[in-house]
Amino acid sequence: MKIKFLLIVLAFGFATKSTAQKFENLAQTPPMGWNSWNSFECEGVNETVIKEMADAMVEKGLKGAGYEYIVIDDCWQIGRDDNGYIIVDKEKFPSGIKSLADYVHSKGLKFGIYSDAGTKTCAGRPGSKGFEMQDAETYAKWGVDYLKYDWCFTEGQDAIASYTLMRDALYKAGRPIVFSLCEWGENKPWEWGKDVGHLWRTTLDIDMNGRYDGNIWGNLIGWSDLVDMQVGLEKYAGPGHWNDPDMLAVGNNGMPENEARAHFSMWCMLAAPLMAGNDLRTMNATDQHILTHKGLLEVNQDVLGKQGFKIVDLGNFEIWQKPLSNGDIAICFFNRDIATKTYEVDWTKINIKDFSAENVYQIKDLWEDKMMGNTSSKLSIEVPSRDVIVYRLSK
């Protein structure tokens, strides 16, 4: 009898394992969208704001450029009912989340939401621990397309087990949902995240005020320091599984144009998810131009799905390469200094992977949108302070 029981248990276990998986064929290029936290945090987020952001994503050309997710971060939930189902904060979202998701979908966009693997969210709202199935069922019912899943109040929990539990619940609920693991890189999610989610945070939070580098303010990190933390992780990224150095800070609290351009360029080179965090309703023309730049977005969204990597490091001056489809190559000259950098580019001597002097590439300056000759000749460039030049090399 014990043997028969053991066989039944084993058979159930194998059957469960065989059906436990993430949704495939999602996030084949890095997800693009907008998240509420950087501009509105907990106090400012509400139903009206989310609707207006969806409107602005369409009206300001972001949807046309490829942005598609409108994601509510923390503070939309307030409790649980007697059956463990999540209760929406009716003061902030009087029409309910299903109605809001329907509104976002009516704009031709996709809808995202937030929860936490622990007992509480980072803002102290109800987390999903112990209620994974109820939450997954609810998200499916509401029409959720994207879930950001945080890692606060998780003392004693195993990260792989906790994220896998929600992955399985989402799959069982039946609605394809992009699963964003916001685990902050504490347990090296790049080593196991591919089978669990579609993207995973590699670091603590970006400094939402757009500060550059040099310090870590509590849990907030300057954007160029985040770039450093991506070095060596390129082998883990690809279609359906991306390293995530956190949301964009473009347009937040007066980030200078040069740094906004450099920050955005590096996220594109890194094949990073592009989740804007600024107020889309009031962004200026410069930030709008940066966020919707066609040439850089083509680098980020390239179907080959390769993350860029550093090929030259001269201290405050770096050169990065990103392989692209059709044999094209993106090259980014990143000046981290406070002074302009003059540099003579000898294409045969900067260690470009899979580059041969026998192949002549045409050079296009992506930010200037102009051709710059070809790689048969050296090129003298000036890269302004804390700025970039990005070239696309094509045969």
Side-chain angles (χ1 to χ4, degrees):
M1 187 66 177
K2 289 183 179 179
I3 294 175
K4 182 178 180 181
F5 176 75
L6 180 59
L7 289 173
I8 292 172
V9 170
L10 288 173
F12 177 77
F14 286 129
T16 303
K17 184 176 181 180
S18 67
T19 58
Q21 62 186 81
K22 74 176 188 181
F23 287 101
E24 301 294 345
N25 300 316
L26 297 178
Q28 293 299 289
T29 58
M32 297 171 59
W34 176 89
N35 179 287
S36 64
W37 185 258
N38 282 356
S39 287
F40 299 97
E41 297 188 351
C42 191
E43 294 303 317
V45 68
N46 58 57
E47 181 177 303
T48 299
V49 163
I50 299 304
K51 287 183 175 180
E52 290 178 350
M53 289 302 148
D55 295 342
M57 185 172 280
V58 176
E59 293 165 4
K60 297 294 183 70
L62 273 75
K63 177 191 173 186
Y67 292 83
E68 57 180 345
Y69 294 100
I70 295 287
V71 182
I72 306 175
D73 209 281
D74 209 344
C75 300
W76 60 267
Q77 64 286 75
I78 199 168
R80 292 191 180 275
D81 66 18
D82 292 341
N83 294 314
Y85 287 91
I86 199 72
I87 299 172
V88 177
D89 186 335
K90 286 293 186 178
E91 289 189 8
K92 290 178 174 288
F93 299 93
S95 301
I97 300 299
K98 175 66 167 65
S99 175
L100 187 55
D102 289 345
Y103 184 87
V104 171
H105 290 151
S106 75
K107 297 290 180 176
L109 301 169
K110 295 180 180 179
F111 179 75
I113 208 162
Y114 165 100
S115 190
D116 191 288
T119 55
K120 292 187 288 187
T121 69
C122 295
R125 302 296 180 104
S128 289
K129 183 181 180 182
F131 302 96
E132 291 85 359
M133 198 63 242
Q134 290 99 319
D135 286 353
E137 289 175 2
T138 300
Y139 302 154
K141 180 180 178 181
W142 286 344
V144 169
D145 305 295
Y146 183 108
L147 172 63
K148 176 183 174 181
Y149 205 50
D150 224 332
W151 189 239
C152 286
F153 297 97
T154 53
E155 292 78 3
Q157 290 180 225
D158 179 84
I160 300 176
S162 296
Y163 281 94
T164 299
L165 191 60
M166 179 53 87
R167 175 204 69 179
D168 294 347
L170 293 172
Y171 193 78
K172 185 175 180 181
R175 179 177 176 83
I177 292 177
V178 171
F179 192 24
S180 171
L181 318 182
C182 187
E183 184 270 347
W184 319 323
E186 289 190 349
N187 294 279
K188 298 183 178 180
W190 46 88
E191 294 182 350
W192 49 267
K194 180 179 179 180
D195 295 327
V196 180
H198 301 93
L199 59 153
W200 49 82
R201 281 279 296 282
T202 55
T203 67
L204 294 173
D205 293 357
I206 191 171
D207 176 61
M208 65 185 71
N209 294 309
R211 282 179 284 199
Y212 186 80
D213 64 4
N215 292 287
I216 295 179
W217 301 271
N219 289 334
L220 301 180
I221 302 176
W223 70 263
S224 68
D225 291 317
L226 293 177
V227 172
D228 295 336
M229 296 176 184
Q230 311 314 303
V231 175
L233 300 184
E234 59 272 7
K235 66 182 179 180
Y236 298 104
H241 51 99
W242 307 101
N243 291 310
D244 178 11
D246 204 10
M247 296 174 281
L248 292 164
V250 175
N252 290 356
N253 298 316
M255 183 184 235
E257 179 181 353
N258 58 323
E259 292 191 17
R261 181 169 44 247
H263 167 35
F264 184 76
S265 297
M266 289 308 302
W267 259 237
C268 290
M269 292 292 294
L270 290 167
L274 300 179
M275 302 300 289
N278 59 317
D279 189 334
L280 302 180
R281 302 168 301 183
T282 59
M283 70 176 169
N284 60 39
T286 297
D287 293 331
Q288 183 177 351
H289 172 68
I290 290 171
L291 289 173
T292 60
H293 192 282
K294 185 175 184 292
L296 271 297
L297 290 175
E298 287 174 347
V299 169
N300 176 264
Q301 294 289 297
D302 186 81
V303 295
L304 191 61
K306 294 290 187 180
Q307 177 174 316
F309 46 89
K310 185 160 49 176
I311 56 175
V312 173
D313 189 339
L314 300 176
N316 282 336
F317 187 79
E318 301 171 356
I319 305 176
W320 289 68
Q321 171 183 351
K322 185 180 190 299
L324 304 173
S325 52
N326 299 319
D328 286 10
I329 302 170
I331 300 291
C332 178
F333 299 87
F334 178 23
N335 181 16
R336 304 176 68 141
D337 208 337
I338 58 173
T340 296
K341 174 70 174 179
T342 300
Y343 186 80
E344 185 175 67
V345 184
D346 185 335
W347 298 103
T348 64
K349 295 182 179 179
I350 57 174
N351 301 317
I352 301 174
K353 185 178 180 180
D354 297 326
F355 179 93
S356 171
E358 297 176 359
N359 295 322
V360 176
Y361 291 79
Q362 302 302 309
I363 307 167
K364 183 175 184 180
D365 185 323
L366 294 183
W367 282 109
E368 294 295 326
D369 192 25
K370 65 179 182 180
M371 302 305 296
M372 302 293 294
N374 62 55
T375 56
S376 64
S377 302
K378 295 178 182 179
L379 185 65
S380 182
I381 63 174
E382 286 192 355
V383 188
S385 166
R386 292 185 173 180
D387 208 336
V388 294
I389 291 177
V390 185
Y391 293 134
R392 183 170 186 138
L393 311 183
S394 303
K395 293 180 182 179

